[in-house]
Each structure stands twice: as C-alpha cells, then as structure tokens.
C-alpha cells in the first residue's frame, strides 16, 4: 500500500489531544501548520501573525504558534467570518495545488519515473525542524522543495535527531559554548507514520547483542514527503536509543550506526509503506548502505544472488559527491564493519566479509585499508555527479584509485551545478519586486525569461528596494545582538549601546560560514590596522556582519571566533562590526536578504560550492569571493568581484597573505568607491548596474529549479528506464552482467598484447595490433588506440577492428585501424576494454589493459 496524506490523520500527532481541536477551523490550521510549504510560500503568514505576532516573529514556526496561542484568542478569531474564510481559502488552494499537474506532469506525462528516493544525513527545510548543520542540508532541503514546485516525484529519507546540531552561545570572554537542546517530536511539525490499522510503524534491525527498533515519522513538504527515522524507542538498549541523538555522531561507532540506520533502515521504511522507487539518489556517501539494502530486497524478491541483484538495481542508483579531500570521506575500520555487519553480510547478502569490505577499499590487496563509504557509493551507483564543475574535477582525482591505470579525465564523475531554492531565500520585498516583472509562478517551470525581466526595473526602483532591505537587516541585527549581549552577561550600558551601531546607509559586508581554518573567516583580520581604516572611513564607512559556528572539537576554529570578538570589543570596530551567535537558517535568511556584499574566502580548492553566495542573488546582493565552487562558474567582471589567484596555494601562509592584500585592494579600489559614487539622484548607477546583471543573469541559473530539472532530464529519466530494463524478467540482464563480470575476472589476467606494427601511406597510417585472448569471446571486449588530448582538447579514442585470427588455440588475432598521420604513431597506445551493451563503463567495470 502506498501511503498518502489522506491515510494519515492529524489526530495521530502526539500533541493533538491537548490542542483546542474543538474550535471551529482548528483542524484546518493544523493542516496548514504541518505542511512546510509555508516555509517558502508566505500566503499563510498573515494567519500566524493574527494568532501570535510575537511568537511568529521570533520563530517563524506556525506549529509553535498553534501550541502557544491562548485558547481564548483562538476562540475569538474563530468567531470572525473573515478569519475563517481566509483559512478556508488557503486550505482550498493547498488541496487544489496538491493534485494540480506541474512542470514534470506537463513535460513528461507518460514517464516511467514514478519515484525518486533522496537520501541525506541532513535536510534544511525550516528552523522549525532543526535537523541540519550546513551546506549538505541546504542542498537536500532546497532540492526537495524544488521537486515539490516542479512536481518531480521525489521523497526524502533522513534521520530525526533528538538534539540535532549544537546551538551556539558566545560567553563574556568571547568563547564559544555548545548547547544541545532536546528536539521533542511532539513540538516539531512532523507526524508519525502509521499502518492502515492506525498502529505506529516501527522497524526492526538486528544488531550485535540487541535488536534495535526504529520509529518512523514524515514531514509534509507541499506535494512531497520527507521520511525520518529515530532510534529513541523505549524498547531499545539504552546506548542504541542515542544513535539518532546528534547530527554526525561524535564517535566512529556512533557515526557508523547512524549510517546503518539511514541506509538500511531508510530503505526498509520505503518498502514497509509500499513506496518502490525506480531511482535512489544519495546526497553524499553517508547513506550508501541503502544501495546494499536495495539489492538485498531484490534478492529476496527474485532469488538471484547478490552480485546479480546489485547489477540489476545499480542502474537506478545516483550518487552526488560533495567531498574535496580524502579527510572528508567517512571511513571505518574493518573491525567496526565486521562487528556490526558480519551477520547481515553473510546471512542477508550471502557473500563473504572480505568481498563486502573490498567494495569500500581502494583495492583488494590492502586488507588493512579502512572501509570508505564514498567508495562503496561509487561501486554501487550507476551515475555519479559532483556539485559543480570545479568540485567534480577534484573528485575525479580523489576517486582515481578506484580506476587504476586510467587518466584522471576518465574517472566517471560528471557534474550538475547545484542551486538554491530562491523562494525560500528571497525577502518579502524581493518577492514583490520579482512578481512585479516576472509573475508569481516564475519558479514553477522554465527560467529563461527571468534575465530579461529585470531589465524593465528602473535604477531608482532597484536602489529603493536595496535601501529597504538594508534597513530591515540593521533593525534585526540590533535586536538580535541586544538579546545576545544580555545572554552573555554584558552590562546594561553595553546592551543599550547597540542602538548606536551600524547604519542602514553604510556599505554592509556579510560573512557567514562554518568557522574553520580552511574557510578563512579571519582573512580580513590579517592586517587589523588596514581593516580599521576601511571600517572607520568617515566619508565611505564600511560595516561587517559575521556569523558562524566552529565544531565543538575544533579548537582552532573556536579561536578564530574569539579573535573576532576581541577585535570588535577592544577597537573602534565595535561600531562597525558585529558577530551574531548561533548561526541558523533564520539568521541566514535575514543576512542574505540585506547585505550588500557577500564575502567568501576559502582556501583553494576547499570549497564544494558555497551556497551562501547563491542566496543573496535573488535579493540583489553581490558576491566577492575566491574563484571556488559555484563562483568559478558564475564570475564575470560585471556581476561581482573575485580574489586574485596569482598564488598557486602551495604555501598556505603566503597564499593567505597574498589573498588578504588582494581583498583589501578590491575593497579599497573597487567595491567601496563604486558603492558611494552617486548620481544627482543619489543612486550609485554603476553599483545598481552590477546588481541588476547579477540578479538577472545568475539568479535563474543558480536556482534549485534549474538543478532539479537538469537532474530529471539528464539523470532520473534515463536511470529509471535502465533500472526497469535491468530488473525485468527477474533481473535477467543483471544475471548476465554478473556472469559476464565473473568471466572477465577469470580471463583478464590471461590476456596479452603481441606485436604492434605501423605502416604509413600518404597522409594515413595503419596500426596492426596482435592480441592473445586465450579463449575469451572477442565480442566481450573492445580494442582501441588512445592518445591524450592536445592543448585542452578531448583524448583521441579509435576502435580497432579484428581482421584475422593467427592462432586459434591461443586466441591470437590481429586488430587494425587506419588514422590520419597528422600525429606521430608514438602518440598512440593500444588498450583493451570490456564491452557489454547497457553497462556504464568504467563505472561498473573498471578493468583495463594497456599495451606495454
């Protein structure tokens, strides 16, 4: 049975019985509050403001509003026909929208794609559901929302953390304090997944010594759903109750258990509720066990062995890698894998422990190598993508050990550049501006007209829009900083001084990142005197709003925060620089809506993407960044600024010094003068022109709308078709593929190259290559000439054709090809490759043999 919203009554919510459900229209309020579409569609905002403006302003969480508003006030509003009509109208719009066809249904009405299961360790959907920490959650949450907008049939699968990521306090001495508040499921906008008889769904996993019970929840995200697992079940062994206690477990064992729960438990949730995806998409390698469990479920269904089941299901598996360094891979010792999974491997998969471990090792010869979850994801997926062009190039180098003796360019990691969900990050006034020129439905389909639309807005209107945004940010910053200072124990005089800091008319820079050495949040502090001169220039003042957390175990990162706090408190910078604690989605929303320039200065190439800079685009903010991640694709000199990359990055201290001086120079000579250079109407026309081009050109392209459409067209549709083909007939193709790979594994070491001769006639040269196949069917392999590309061109690959057999017993044959003699014969090398129709090579079979 496939579960739908109608199967799940709101009366199953843990708090339902204590809420004022007798009040007319309250059920409709619950229905609206439990649909996280309110986090980007603001049609319901007026309802929540009417119920409790203070709680709404503080939390932007309708579910919190419903739990705290007085019953008397609800009953009073329920007697208002206008209020009830507003709620009823919103319900009708919501329900009609849930069944209305969207982009996907119009574009692909007869598609074989019915479901994509999207697995991620974190999802950033709303501050009301704090189960995220950073960029990985941004990608997952924003793509889930875009799938809702576009009608792409996608469900999310993640974990429900009892504490999530830590909350940050800044002490009176500038030290970071980590707080872990409890996420009470009853106070989150989630619902338990229930069986048709009303019983809550609980899943059983067998771990050493104890069974673990997992509870299942779901989040309604417009037309889409996110399923979440949590281990805090009273029947569990106490340590196992804490598996889902915190995001990214603090020990290796805890992290490994989380990934078992996410992958194996996550796939079993889908099986239990009757959701059968054609495509399984991993947002990074943490959930790679889902692909193993998918194969195991197919084994049980068809009776085929594991390798055939994996070959059949692999075609529907998609892996997006975010990693930029070996340190970013999740790796576990073989003893940890053996302890927790040996019984699962032998009993469920029917393979040996070493066979399983080899799937996560660079090669089978190193028995002590750690088990790498990203290697496992690579070896069980049919498509692998990076998050942008630059990151995919780095990933190809990282995964090269899995494709031994191939050039890095042949490592099968493509890319689809990630974008952000613009309706989640635009301000109310930005939404009004875009609606004025592009319509309310501008993010629901194609985006190609948006660039020209912004051209119809006058300079004066754009500048007025930015001034309004800046004023709102300064007011919010002062209020938040005042509360922060009170919490840290600072005196009344210090708190009251907040009203004198920052000005809405000054150039405002924003920096908000995880504080760690490679993000270089202190690059501006390299020369404090020069920074102070910029900040305190009476004619062209600059102000800086900072935010970010350092991992509780990252002492160096916490010291970077302390240095900023001391600089702010002990210099005249206190009027121009603020550090806002507890960086979360709510703070991010306010910052990206109001800053003039978004700074990003990571060490090269330590940047997967840098999504903060994408979020300012829709709001008219401009980027000043290293040419890393998405900015390396987006940057042109008329849409923002880029730090000079004259240093090669080999000497970190030298690079930091060069980049800091470059940053000061750009600010002094370009950014600041351009912002303050005004015409007779006090409009900085050059600045507004740059802002217009950034909004028009970059906002549509770096939208998750474009990302999800590209994944659908380029990956999901073809992956679904390949999966259906391979799994048809009880996986007959998968069985043949597994048999083929077994034959290759046995025969490959016997294949030998013989003589190679080259003859030239006119402008043509002919290669004759002798090969000894030793009984291997020639149709199973391909012989080709290979030459590296010249001056950035693609490599040359020319297939040689068999012309005669010279020895039947040894399988010796001559293969031949004629090519242009424009390149010398020594540029070419013969190589042998596997051949199997429909197989993704070299991803699914990396074997290769070169002419020596």
């Amino acid at each position: 049975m496939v579960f739908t919203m109608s199967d799940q009554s709101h009366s199953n919510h843990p708090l339902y019985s204590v809420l004022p459900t007798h009040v007319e229209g309250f059920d409709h309020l619950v229905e609206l509050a439990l649909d996280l579409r309110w986090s980007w569609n603001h049609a319901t905002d007026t309802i929540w403001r009417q119920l409790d403006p203070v709680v709404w302003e503080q939390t932007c969480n309708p579910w919190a509003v419903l739990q705290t508003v007085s019953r008397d006030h609800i009953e009073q509003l329920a007697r208002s026909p206008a209020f009830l009509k507003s709620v009823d109208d919103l319900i009708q719009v919501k329900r009609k929208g849930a069944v209305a066809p969207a982009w996907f249904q119009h574009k692909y009405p007869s598609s074989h794609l019915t479901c994509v299961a999207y697995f991620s360790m974190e999802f950033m959907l709303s501050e009301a559901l704090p189960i995220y920490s950073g960029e990985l959650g941004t990608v997952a949450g924003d793509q889930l929302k875009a799938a809702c907008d576009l009608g792409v049939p996608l469900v999310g699968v993640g974990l429900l953390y009892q504490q999530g990521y830590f909350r940050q306090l800044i002490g009176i001495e500038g030290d970071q304090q980590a707080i872990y508040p409890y996420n009470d499921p009853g106070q989150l906008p989630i619902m338990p997944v229930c069986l048709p008889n009303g019983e809550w769904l609980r899943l059983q996993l067998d771990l050493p010594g104890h069974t673990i019970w997992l509870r299942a929840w779901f989040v309604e995200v417009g037309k889409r759903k996110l399923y979440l697992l949590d281990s805090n079940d009273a029947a569990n062994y106490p340590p196992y109750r804490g598996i889902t206690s915190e995001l990214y477990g603090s020990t290796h064992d805890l992290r490994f258990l989380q990934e078992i729960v996410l992958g194996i438990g996550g796939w079993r949730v889908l099986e239990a509720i009757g959701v059968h995806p054609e495509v399984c998409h991993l947002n990074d390698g943490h959930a790679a066990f889902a692909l193993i469990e998918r194969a195991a479920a197919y084994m049980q269904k068809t009776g085929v062995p594991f390798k055939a089941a994996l070959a059949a299901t692999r075609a529907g598996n998609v892996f997006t890698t975010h990693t930029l360094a070996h340190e970013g891979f999740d790796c576990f010792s073989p003893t940890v894998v053996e302890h927790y999974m040996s019984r699962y491997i032998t009993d469920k998969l029917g393979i040996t422990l070493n066979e399983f471990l080899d799937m996560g090792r660079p090669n089978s010869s190193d028995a002590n190598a750690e088990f790498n979850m990203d290697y496992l994801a690579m070896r069980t997926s049919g498509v692998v993508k990076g998050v942008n062009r630059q990151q995919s190039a780095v990933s190809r180098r990282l995964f090269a050990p899995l494709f031994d003796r191939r050039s890095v360019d042949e490592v099968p990691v493509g890319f689809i550049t990630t974008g952000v969900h613009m309706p989640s990050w635009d301000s109310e006034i930005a939404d009004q501006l875009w609606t004025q020129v592009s319509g309310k439905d501008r993010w629901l389909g194609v985006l190609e007209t948006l660039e020209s639309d912004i051209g119809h807005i006058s300079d004066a209107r754009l500048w007025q829009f930015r001034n309004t945004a800046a004023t709102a940010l300064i007011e919010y910053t002062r209020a938040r900083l005042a509360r922060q200072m009170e919490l840290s124990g600072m005196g009344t005089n210090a708190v009251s001084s907040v009203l004198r800091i920052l000005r809405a008319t000054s150039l405002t820079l924003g920096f908000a990142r995880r504080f760690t050495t490679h993000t270089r949040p202190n690059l501006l502090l390299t020369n404090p005197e020069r920074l102070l001169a910029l900040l305190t220039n009476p004619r062209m003042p600059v102000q800086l709003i900072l935010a970010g957390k350092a991992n509780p175990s990252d002492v160096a990162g916490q010291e970077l925060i302390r240095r900023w706090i001391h600089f702010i408190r002990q210099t005249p910078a206190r009027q121009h620089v603020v550090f806002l604690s507890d960086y979360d989605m709510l703070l991010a929303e306010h910052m990206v809506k109001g800053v003039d320039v978004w700074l990003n200065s990571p060490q090269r190439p330590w940047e997967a993407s840098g999504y903060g800079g994408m979020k300012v685009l829709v709001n008219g903010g401009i980027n000043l960044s290293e040419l890393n991640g998405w900015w390396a694709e987006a940057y042109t000199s008329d849409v923002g600024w880029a730090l000079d990359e004259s240093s090669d990055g080999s000497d970190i201290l030298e690079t930091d010094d060069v980049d800091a001086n470059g940053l000061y120079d750009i600010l002094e000579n370009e950014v600041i003068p351009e912002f303050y250079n005004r015409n007779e109407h006090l409009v900085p026309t050059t600045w507004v022109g740059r802002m217009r081009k950034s909004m028009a050109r970059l906002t549509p392209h770096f939208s998750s709308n474009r990302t999800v459409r590209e994944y659908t067209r380029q990956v999901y549709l073809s992956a679904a078709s390949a999966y259906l083909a391979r799994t048809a007939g009880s996986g007959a193709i998968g069985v043949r593929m597994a048999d083929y790979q077994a034959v290759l594994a046995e025969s490959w070491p016997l294949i030998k190259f013989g003589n190679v001769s080259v003859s030239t006639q006119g402008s043509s040269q002919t290669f004759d290559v002798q090969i000894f196949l030793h009984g291997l069917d020639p149709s199973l392999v391909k012989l080709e000439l290979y030459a590296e590309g010249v001056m950035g061109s693609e490599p040359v690959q020319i297939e040689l054709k068999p012309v005669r057999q010279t020895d039947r017993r040894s399988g010796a044959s001559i293969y031949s090809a004629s090519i242009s003699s424009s390149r010398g014969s020594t540029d070419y090398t013969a190589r042998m490759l596997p051949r199997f129709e429909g197989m993704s090579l070299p991803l699914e079979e990396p074997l290769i043999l070169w002419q020596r």
Side-chain angles (χ1 to χ4, degrees):
M1 175 180 180
V2 177
F3 281 47
T4 63
M5 191 61 203
S6 59
D7 300 318
Q8 306 287 333
S9 169
H10 292 123
S11 61
N12 289 321
H13 195 284
L15 283 184
Y16 194 80
S17 61
V18 298
L19 292 172
T21 56
H22 65 282
V23 175
E24 183 181 358
F26 191 81
D27 278 354
H28 286 173
L29 290 172
V30 170
E31 185 176 339
L32 292 173
L34 289 175
D35 181 354
L36 263 65
R37 193 166 184 270
W38 52 254
S39 67
W40 75 92
N41 182 301
H42 300 289
T44 63
D45 288 5
T46 55
I47 298 296
W48 316 123
R49 286 195 184 97
Q50 286 179 268
L51 287 168
D52 194 326
V54 175
V55 174
W56 172 246
E57 182 64 29
Q58 290 177 343
T59 67
C60 292
N61 180 358
W63 190 236
V65 170
L66 288 187
Q67 292 180 51
T68 56
V69 65
S70 74
R71 297 194 178 198
D72 289 343
H73 186 47
I74 286 183
E75 290 173 350
Q76 178 186 358
L77 286 172
R79 291 192 289 270
S80 166
F83 179 81
L84 292 178
K85 185 178 185 307
S86 295
V87 173
D88 186 64
D89 289 347
L90 289 166
I91 285 291
Q92 297 309 314
V93 170
K94 174 186 180 299
R95 293 177 179 175
K96 288 178 182 177
V99 297
W103 170 83
F104 181 83
Q105 287 71 36
H106 289 299
K107 190 76 173 176
Y108 305 104
S110 303
S111 171
H112 295 301
L113 178 66
T114 65
C115 183
V116 177
Y118 187 98
F119 283 73
S120 181
M121 278 286 274
E122 52 175 299
F123 285 84
M124 182 188 288
L125 293 169
S126 163
E127 190 51 34
L129 190 61
I131 56 171
Y132 63 86
S133 70
E135 292 194 346
L136 200 70
T138 299
V139 171
D142 283 11
Q143 290 188 13
L144 183 56
K145 291 175 180 178
C148 169
D149 290 340
L150 297 170
V152 176
L154 182 148
V155 298
V157 182
L159 299 179
L160 179 65
Y161 302 100
Q162 284 78 59
Q163 296 172 331
Y165 202 53
F166 77 97
R167 310 311 297 254
Q168 179 194 57
L169 290 178
I170 301 297
I172 196 167
E173 298 299 324
D175 54 307
Q176 173 182 280
Q177 300 171 15
I179 309 296
Y180 292 90
Y182 175 65
N183 289 333
D184 181 354
Q187 296 180 344
L188 301 175
I190 62 177
M191 292 276 290
V193 177
C194 295
L195 299 172
N197 63 4
E199 180 183 342
W200 283 21
L201 174 65
R202 293 165 75 233
L203 295 167
Q204 180 181 349
L205 294 183
D206 293 323
L207 292 178
H210 294 273
T211 292
I212 177 172
W213 290 95
L214 301 174
R215 305 187 298 186
W217 308 80
F218 77 92
V219 185
E220 190 177 3
V221 188
K223 299 179 180 181
R224 306 279 76 91
K225 285 188 175 62
L226 166 63
Y227 293 96
L228 301 172
L229 287 165
D230 103 79
S231 66
N232 191 23
D233 190 288
N236 281 336
Y237 173 52
Y240 287 173
R241 293 186 67 173
I243 291 174
T244 56
S245 60
E246 60 186 270
L247 179 58
Y248 301 124
S250 55
T251 68
H252 268 65
D253 278 41
L254 180 56
R255 177 76 74 92
F256 190 72
L257 287 169
Q258 286 183 340
E259 299 186 3
I260 287 176
V261 169
L262 174 61
I264 298 177
W267 190 262
R268 289 186 185 177
V269 164
L270 300 178
E271 292 272 328
I273 62 177
V275 174
H276 303 294
E278 294 86 15
V279 178
C280 182
H281 187 167
L282 305 185
N283 187 36
D284 223 9
H286 307 110
F289 291 140
L291 309 186
I292 299 298
E293 179 63 17
R294 181 182 203 184
Y298 191 74
M299 290 173 63
Q300 186 174 5
K301 176 183 175 183
T302 62
V304 300
F306 172 73
K307 290 183 179 179
L310 179 59
T313 57
R314 182 175 182 172
N317 298 337
V318 180
F319 168 37
T320 295
T321 175
H322 295 249
T323 306
L324 282 161
H326 288 286
E327 294 81 2
F329 289 142
D330 266 6
C331 296
F332 302 97
S333 72
T335 55
V336 169
V337 179
E338 180 180 12
H339 175 64
Y340 289 109
M341 296 192 70
S342 59
R343 191 164 58 188
Y344 174 87
I345 292 166
T346 55
D347 296 351
K348 185 94 173 179
L349 305 182
I351 60 176
T352 67
L353 175 64
N354 272 331
E355 285 178 307
F356 185 79
L357 289 172
D358 282 347
M359 297 172 71
R361 292 168 170 162
N363 59 72
S364 59
S365 62
D366 187 357
N368 296 316
E370 287 194 307
F371 186 81
N372 185 314
M373 292 295 288
D374 291 74
Y375 286 1
L376 177 64
M378 174 71 81
R379 287 190 170 120
T380 51
S381 294
V383 178
V384 181
K385 297 290 185 183
V387 294
N388 54 62
R389 179 184 290 109
Q390 186 181 74
Q391 184 269 337
S392 68
V394 175
S395 288
R396 283 194 287 275
R397 292 196 293 272
L398 293 177
F399 286 107
L402 306 191
F403 302 91
D404 188 31
R405 306 199 70 202
R406 285 184 182 268
S407 70
V408 171
D409 290 338
E410 290 187 284
V411 175
V413 181
F415 73 94
I416 291 179
T417 301
T418 303
V420 297
H421 187 248
M422 295 302 174
S424 291
W425 301 104
D426 63 354
S427 65
E428 186 175 349
I429 57 171
D431 177 54
Q432 294 170 0
L433 185 78
W434 284 91
T435 301
Q436 174 187 333
V437 296
S438 302
K440 196 66 179 174
D441 296 334
R442 60 191 174 276
W443 305 113
L444 303 184
V446 297
L447 308 171
E448 283 70 21
T449 64
L450 298 187
E451 180 172 346
S452 60
D453 292 341
I454 294 297
H456 300 303
I457 305 174
S458 68
D459 285 359
R461 175 77 174 90
L462 278 176
W463 187 237
Q464 178 190 32
F465 149 68
R466 283 302 307 159
N467 285 334
T468 303
T471 300
L473 174 61
I474 300 309
E475 291 175 353
Y476 174 82
T477 300
R478 287 172 176 170
R480 181 159 179 148
L481 184 61
R483 291 194 303 270
Q484 177 180 317
M485 294 170 74
E486 287 181 317
L487 284 170
S488 66
M490 302 185 73
T492 304
N493 290 338
V495 174
S496 61
S497 69
V498 166
L499 297 176
R500 297 192 296 273
I501 68 166
L502 307 183
R503 297 191 306 179
T505 55
S506 296
L507 172 64
T508 304
L509 314 179
F511 182 97
R513 288 294 309 268
R514 182 160 60 96
F515 269 60
T516 188
T517 51
H518 79 258
T519 61
R520 300 194 299 183
N522 288 36
L523 193 64
L524 271 174
L525 275 180
T526 303
N527 188 333
E529 291 76 19
R530 193 171 178 184
L531 174 59
L532 270 176
L534 291 175
L535 296 170
T536 59
N537 184 324
R539 206 167 50 84
M540 297 186 294
V542 178
Q543 54 201 24
L544 176 62
I545 300 176
L546 297 156
K549 299 176 179 179
N551 190 288
S553 63
D554 185 356
V555 176
Q558 294 176 52
E559 178 58 29
L560 297 176
I561 294 175
R562 190 178 296 109
R563 282 189 59 201
W564 267 116
I565 300 298
H566 288 178
F567 175 76
I568 293 168
R569 293 178 180 174
Q570 296 173 8
T571 71
R574 68 178 65 91
Q575 302 296 321
H576 304 270
V577 185
V578 299
F579 184 95
L580 297 178
S581 64
D582 200 29
Y583 184 49
D584 58 10
M585 189 174 182
L586 194 59
L587 175 53
E589 288 176 6
H590 282 279
M591 287 187 65
V592 300
K593 292 171 183 177
V595 297
D596 297 303
V597 175
W598 191 263
L599 297 177
N600 193 26
S601 51
Q603 288 175 354
R604 299 183 290 275
W606 290 78
E607 181 70 90
S609 196
Y611 301 103
M614 294 181 185
K615 296 167 189 173
V616 303
L617 299 172
V618 70
N619 297 295
I622 303 175
N623 281 270
L624 194 177
S625 176
E626 286 276 359
L627 283 173
N628 270 286
W630 76 281
W631 192 236
E633 292 180 35
Y635 171 72
T636 55
S637 61
D638 55 348
V639 297
W641 298 274
L643 292 182
D644 181 25
E645 292 196 321
S646 56
S647 170
D648 64 8
S650 57
D651 186 322
I652 292 176
L653 293 178
E654 178 189 352
T655 300
D656 287 354
D657 188 57
V658 169
D659 286 354
N661 286 326
L663 180 55
Y664 295 134
D665 288 344
I666 292 172
L667 289 170
E668 289 172 349
N669 302 324
E670 300 180 49
V671 178
I672 298 171
E674 188 172 299
F675 181 83
Y676 285 104
N677 184 18
R678 312 292 170 90
N679 66 9
E680 65 275 16
H681 303 294
L682 302 181
V683 175
T685 53
T686 304
W687 183 278
V688 171
R690 186 185 300 272
M691 183 177 79
R692 184 195 306 278
K693 290 173 183 174
S694 172
M695 293 178 73
R697 199 181 303 161
L698 304 185
T699 305
H701 186 74
F702 294 98
S703 160
S704 59
N705 171 302
R706 189 266 313 149
T707 302
V708 171
R709 285 191 294 135
E710 286 190 4
Y711 262 109
T712 301
R713 288 194 300 254
Q714 298 178 23
V715 179
Y716 294 158
L717 293 171
S718 56
S721 296
Y723 167 80
L724 292 171
R726 286 200 192 178
T727 55
S730 296
I733 294 178
V735 171
R736 290 203 303 273
M737 287 181 65
D739 291 344
Y740 165 70
Q741 290 178 304
V743 168
L744 281 186
E746 182 177 351
S747 302
W748 205 258
L750 303 176
I751 302 174
K752 304 294 181 185
F753 276 97
N755 295 324
V756 177
S757 63
V758 184
S759 59
T760 302
Q761 184 173 3
S763 61
S764 176
Q765 53 187 339
T766 299
F767 286 76
D768 290 323
V769 179
Q770 187 182 37
I771 192 78
F772 296 88
L773 295 178
H774 291 284
L776 182 64
D777 185 342
S779 68
L780 301 182
V781 293
K782 177 174 69 172
L783 193 65
E784 69 178 23
L785 293 174
Y786 178 89
E788 293 183 351
V790 178
M791 300 182 65
S793 65
E794 294 293 317
V796 178
Q797 296 168 254
I798 300 169
E799 184 171 355
L800 296 114
K801 299 297 184 180
V803 292
R804 64 183 181 278
Q805 189 177 56
T806 59
D807 186 341
R808 181 175 299 178
R809 186 174 57 180
S810 65
S813 299
I814 301 296
Y815 284 66
S816 183
S818 294
I819 60 175
S820 168
S821 58
S822 58
R823 292 184 64 172
S825 62
T826 55
D827 285 1
Y828 296 92
T829 306
R831 63 183 191 175
M832 180 71 77
L833 304 167
R835 187 206 300 272
F836 191 98
E837 185 178 356
M839 180 180 281
S840 178
L841 300 172
L843 183 60
E844 295 186 89
E845 183 48 81
L847 287 174
I848 188 170
L849 181 66
W850 291 87
Q851 165 202 344
R852 294 175 183 267

